[in-house]
Amino acid sequence: MNLPQRLLAPPPGWIVETDVVVVGSGIAGLTTALRIAAGGPEGSGLRVLVVTKDVLAAGSTRWAQGGIAAALGPDDSAEAHLQDTLVAGVGICDVDAVRVLVDEGPQAVRELIELGTRFDRSSTGELSLTREGGHHADRIAHAGGDATGAEIERALVAAVLATPGIEVIEHALVLDLLPTTGGGVGAVTLHVMGEGQLDGVGAVRARAFVLATGGIGQIYAATTNPPVSTGDGVAAALRAGAVVRDLEFVQFHPTVLWLGGSAAGQQPLVSEAVRGEGAVLLDGQGVRFMQGQHELADLAPRDVVAKAILRRMRETGAEHMWLDARHFGAEKWRVRFPTILATLTSLGLDPVSDLIPVAPACHYASGGIATDLSGRTSVAGLYACGEAACTGVHGANRLASNSLLEGLVFGRRIAADVLSTVPAGSPLLDLGIDVRGKGIAAAGIRRSLQQQMSADAGVIRDAAGLARAAAGLQKLAAQRSSEPRTESWEATNLLTVASALVAAASRRAETRGSHWREDHPDRDDQRWCGHLDLRLGPDGTISTDYIPSSHQLPAEGLHPGGLHP
């Protein structure tokens, strides 16, 4: 494999300067930007530039249905939330990171409410909390029934637009992170796609950079991720020399609406909260097959449910399973799940009288750019947050509704670190030699890549399939383009991330969490209770290093050069 270390692109036609660049406009990016710009009673004095691939309000957060998890109920505790998270993570969560999440989460949610987020409440005015898979308590706060992400995004966007010191560039694809003469990141190149404030390829110089670019779901043919989720941040970080961790742990959501065997692209999600409210899974004979599979049955962690669905599909030859929520009645569907109801109705399904066809599809990357507890990566000046990051919270399988909380909590932590280390008015660092990019993939490889990954590196994996995936990606890498444009840059990012994922999945010879190796069906704590760190070498190949789980990032963070070795 010969992956490019810099994308082929025209030289920057414009250069702007700021203090902090935040790439991404979901809960992670906007929280970070808001906290940095606010800084204190009189503001921080730092200028923040938010870059987003679509419009500001189109971050991946708005697609989140179920809610945000935090120990907010009178019968719940941070310790109970911690234990549920560790169980879901199957032995490789960073305990310190999880403790940060559950301890700081409740206050972070309360401040989100103070910002203007309108969560659903009971008739007595208390937060209406529900339960999802893997949780032993009602701790999921939701809004608009099943429109939690959209409501959080609305409140954050309104706050950003009202906060001095934040500028926004929309319709901008992040290309590459440019080094300084002393190492680290000193600039980012962008391509503004026609409708933004600037035109064409340009560069932004700054003192700190935050990647909050969301997921990698478009490496698969069927996903709940929006079309913009092409792994741009993870790929750019690899090209900049950053460590990427746990990328083999891709969560396939068990209940994605089945639209037919040939359906591709973004698929509608049927939130886990539907099962949290009492819906059950059935096979074609009407049998509740989750009973006896796990103590929580239909509300088991997502990897358990996805595997059970696939096993039953293979046993029966069915293309999907069924979700039964007919007993909810029309009123509960209308009030609690209006978004899902509208989607089902538009497709000719009435969940009050019809079973809902569901099957697993790619949903969430538990791994990403490795960070410490302050969001710092292995490259000086570069932070990562949200789904693009690997904080250690999720381990081998994300606990339901911990993702929004992670973006919220660690966005605040990044802001605190930036505010303490980047004084307003401090000079910009000198950039290193600008080495022009030489590589870019052909735009037309995208569909073939997605089909290859779904066939050989999806929910069920084995050595033979992963070898086919690696060989297929190698052939696609040989298809180069000399025409830099959005489709080719995205294809290159997809190829880079897919290659890294296959390298990690090939090496991890066990089944753990959302990584299911059919040829190694058992969990192997003796050899594999740890992490695989991925790097892009100067020869364009991906290397993997095994880090035992006893190695935990220190609470005090990184040394000035980045992650501890």
Side-chain angles (χ1 to χ4, degrees):
M1 186 72 69
N2 184 21
L3 298 167
Q5 291 189 296
R6 183 76 60 82
L7 293 176
L8 178 65
W14 49 268
I15 297 177
V16 298
E17 295 182 355
T18 189
D19 293 306
V20 183
V21 176
V22 176
V23 187
S25 62
I27 190 172
L30 296 187
T31 296
T32 305
L34 281 168
R35 301 283 294 194
I36 292 173
E42 298 180 2
S44 65
L46 293 176
R47 298 165 297 163
V48 181
L49 177 64
V50 174
V51 176
T52 183
K53 196 173 179 182
D54 202 323
V55 296
L56 186 63
S60 293
T61 292
R62 73 187 179 101
W63 296 101
Q65 293 176 346
I68 185 167
L72 295 162
D75 299 323
D76 198 8
S77 69
E79 186 64 27
H81 190 184
L82 180 140
Q83 291 303 321
D84 284 346
T85 301
L86 295 181
V87 168
V90 201
I92 60 168
C93 293
D94 184 325
V95 179
D96 289 342
V98 178
R99 196 166 292 282
V100 163
L101 182 83
V102 300
D103 285 348
E104 298 181 12
Q107 180 58 30
V109 173
R110 292 185 189 102
E111 293 183 7
L112 194 58
I113 294 170
E114 293 173 4
L115 194 69
T117 306
R118 299 186 291 261
F119 287 106
D120 295 337
R121 295 184 178 272
S122 68
S123 58
T124 59
E126 299 298 317
L127 278 177
S128 179
L129 301 175
T130 190
R131 191 175 304 198
E132 292 186 357
H135 293 273
H136 284 78
D138 293 342
R139 65 169 67 98
I140 314 299
H142 50 84
D146 58 357
T148 309
E151 170 57 17
I152 290 173
E153 185 80 3
R154 180 205 62 77
L156 288 171
V157 167
V160 163
L161 295 177
T163 300
I166 300 179
E167 295 184 33
V168 178
I169 296 179
E170 297 179 317
H171 302 286
L173 170 65
V174 59
L175 299 180
D176 277 309
L177 300 159
L178 305 183
T180 68
T181 53
V185 177
V188 61
T189 52
L190 308 170
H191 174 65
V192 182
M193 298 176 282
E195 299 179 50
Q197 299 170 348
L198 302 166
D199 291 319
V201 174
V204 182
R205 298 185 64 194
R207 297 161 180 81
F209 301 82
V210 183
L211 293 176
T213 49
I216 62 173
Q218 289 295 325
I219 65 172
Y220 291 102
T223 177
T224 62
N225 290 190
V228 294
S229 296
T230 51
D232 307 321
V234 175
L238 279 167
R239 290 193 292 269
V243 173
V244 169
R245 174 172 290 174
D246 291 348
L247 207 60
E248 67 271 33
F249 296 115
V250 176
Q251 187 178 85
F252 285 74
H253 198 290
T255 54
V256 176
L257 188 63
W258 187 78
L259 298 178
S262 61
Q266 186 178 9
Q267 310 289 299
L269 176 66
V270 182
S271 171
E272 198 158 295
V274 176
R275 279 176 286 133
E277 294 287 344
V280 296
L281 288 159
L282 306 175
D283 66 13
Q285 303 302 313
V287 176
R288 286 190 61 186
F289 58 90
M290 283 307 302
Q291 291 182 324
Q293 297 277 346
H294 188 276
E295 62 168 331
L296 293 175
D298 296 271
L299 276 178
R302 289 176 178 175
D303 64 313
V304 176
V305 181
K307 290 172 186 174
I309 289 175
L310 283 165
R311 286 193 189 101
R312 187 54 63 102
M313 286 167 60
R314 293 200 303 180
E315 290 167 1
T316 62
E319 292 185 288
H320 62 83
M321 291 288 106
W322 299 97
L323 187 65
D324 186 2
R326 293 173 293 183
H327 58 287
F328 284 7
E331 182 64 11
K332 184 167 184 174
W333 270 108
R334 186 186 66 80
V335 174
R336 182 65 180 88
F337 301 109
T339 306
I340 300 172
L341 177 61
T343 299
L344 295 174
T345 302
S346 71
L347 295 168
L349 289 169
D350 179 3
V352 178
S353 57
D354 298 330
L355 296 174
I356 304 168
V358 294
C362 172
H363 182 57
Y364 191 88
S366 293
I369 307 160
T371 75
D372 69 359
L373 299 185
S374 294
R376 288 180 284 183
T377 74
S378 58
V379 176
L382 180 63
Y383 298 80
C385 193
E387 191 174 355
C390 180
T391 62
V393 160
H394 304 308
N397 184 43
R398 174 176 68 91
L399 182 65
S401 289
N402 268 357
S403 53
L404 291 178
L405 190 69
E406 182 195 31
L408 185 63
V409 167
F410 285 89
R412 291 156 51 99
R413 286 188 147 247
I414 290 173
D417 194 75
V418 168
L419 290 169
S420 67
T421 58
V422 182
S426 57
L428 294 169
L429 297 174
D430 292 332
L431 295 179
I433 298 173
D434 183 22
V435 180
R436 290 292 304 275
K438 297 180 180 179
I440 192 170
I445 71 169
R446 181 167 180 159
R447 183 63 178 152
S448 297
L449 182 149
Q450 292 170 332
Q451 292 172 334
Q452 183 85 64
M453 292 295 291
S454 293
D456 293 320
V459 184
I460 305 174
R461 303 165 179 172
D462 60 26
L466 290 166
R468 285 194 301 271
L473 294 175
Q474 181 79 47
K475 290 180 181 178
L476 294 176
Q479 299 181 35
R480 295 298 182 98
S481 172
S482 59
E483 183 183 355
R485 56 192 176 101
T486 299
E487 293 79 8
S488 296
W489 290 318
E490 286 187 332
T492 309
N493 290 337
L494 290 168
L495 179 65
T496 301
V497 173
S499 300
L501 189 156
V502 168
S506 299
R507 183 166 176 187
R508 183 175 288 277
E510 67 156 354
T511 291
R512 182 183 299 269
S514 54
H515 174 65
W516 182 2
R517 283 287 296 264
E518 196 168 35
D519 51 345
H520 296 281
D522 299 319
R523 171 177 162 183
D524 185 355
D525 285 344
Q526 198 77 18
R527 296 192 307 144
W528 290 110
C529 190
H531 310 279
L532 286 172
D533 282 359
L534 304 160
R535 293 175 176 84
L536 179 62
D539 60 350
T541 61
I542 300 288
S543 64
T544 60
D545 294 310
Y546 177 70
I547 311 295
S549 61
S550 57
H551 169 93
Q552 292 192 359
L553 300 177
E556 69 270 19
L558 307 176
H559 61 69
L563 285 167
H564 289 274

